[in-house]
Amino acid sequence: MSTRKPQAEGGPTARPAPLLSLLPTAGAPAPERADAARNRRRILDAAARIVAESGPEAVTMNLVAHASGIGVGTVYRRFGDVSQLLWALLDDRERQFQEAYLSGPPPLGPGAPAAQRLDAFLDALVDRVVEQRAILLAAQTAAPSARYTSGAYLAMHAHVTMLITQARPTANAPLLAHLLLAPFSPSLMHHLSQEQQLSAEELKAGVRELLNLRAG
């Protein structure tokens, strides 16, 4: 899986341990022909729909091939097996998320005040974790501490640290960034969204209320 240092944001990053890089910091995909890129996009979009509707356990190479309209042989050649396809899907969604908060339009991307960008980032993170909760939970279950050494977490932590530093220059920004990201543990988000049946909008409102508990 690819790695990327968040150049636009600055802040420290660390090289994740190879066996713990379950959720990568996304980089640019390898160059490929236009038809191959279209096929890859169709396969990943089909896999994403299946995961959203039925969970990752429902994904099979045959089902993805049927849903994407692409031959099953092509699906196997591109991704090898279901496990590799699911990790490729996570990598793809992480790349899209990073592009949005590093260089997308404000308020998630650059151009808005730090506090507004932080609110937008937390909202977007709720959506991402809820959407990908089943795969993220599987990754957390396989290696519980991997979340904190993965490239994806390090990039998010660096980004949130930068925003907190801009909003509160005297704060211990690295510590606060860890504490802000803590509620987005896949196991907690799975519990809240599945077992407690809370919607993404309710989770976002809860994060806002938590941050405002001591205001005023």
Side-chain angles (χ1 to χ4, degrees):
M1 291 186 178
S2 55
T3 58
R4 174 185 178 183
K5 182 178 179 179
Q7 300 285 350
E9 299 297 335
T13 58
R15 184 183 300 276
L19 293 179
L20 296 181
S21 299
L22 296 179
L23 304 179
T25 306
E32 56 187 349
R33 300 190 319 271
D35 59 337
R38 285 193 297 270
N39 284 345
R40 177 181 175 83
R41 179 80 271 139
R42 288 167 62 187
I43 292 168
L44 290 173
D45 286 347
R49 290 194 300 272
I50 295 168
V51 169
E53 293 169 1
S54 306
E57 64 280 358
V59 176
T60 68
M61 302 300 261
N62 283 333
L63 185 57
V64 170
H66 177 75
S68 64
I70 293 173
V72 67
T74 299
V75 177
Y76 272 105
R77 283 193 298 274
R78 291 305 305 269
F79 296 100
D81 58 27
V82 169
S83 175
Q84 294 180 61
L85 174 57
L86 290 176
W87 290 120
L89 178 59
L90 268 183
D91 185 74
D92 181 66
R93 290 301 187 261
E94 181 61 33
R95 181 179 297 113
Q96 293 177 24
F97 182 45
Q98 287 185 12
E99 290 295 333
Y101 72 73
L102 290 175
S103 57
L108 181 57
Q116 291 183 22
R117 289 192 70 191
L118 184 57
D119 284 345
F121 175 83
L122 295 175
D123 281 352
L125 187 55
V126 168
D127 288 333
R128 181 181 177 274
V129 176
V130 168
E131 177 193 4
Q132 300 291 313
R133 62 183 177 270
I135 306 177
L136 291 168
L137 182 60
Q140 183 186 50
T141 301
S145 65
R147 178 176 185 242
Y148 305 104
T149 54
S150 70
Y153 183 86
L154 293 172
M156 289 191 296
H157 182 266
H159 179 68
V160 173
T161 297
M162 184 262 309
L163 294 177
I164 293 172
T165 299
Q166 292 178 357
R168 297 283 183 88
T170 61
N172 183 344
L175 172 61
L176 294 182
H178 281 303
L179 296 177
L180 272 180
L181 292 172
F184 296 91
S185 163
S187 57
L188 177 59
M189 282 292 171
H190 179 82
H191 170 72
L192 294 175
S193 62
Q194 293 298 103
E195 297 172 16
Q196 298 295 314
Q197 295 294 300
L198 295 176
S199 68
E201 293 309 312
E202 289 174 309
L203 293 173
K204 293 174 189 177
V207 171
R208 290 282 194 286
E209 188 171 359
L210 178 63
L211 294 178
N212 291 327
L213 276 178
R214 296 295 299 273

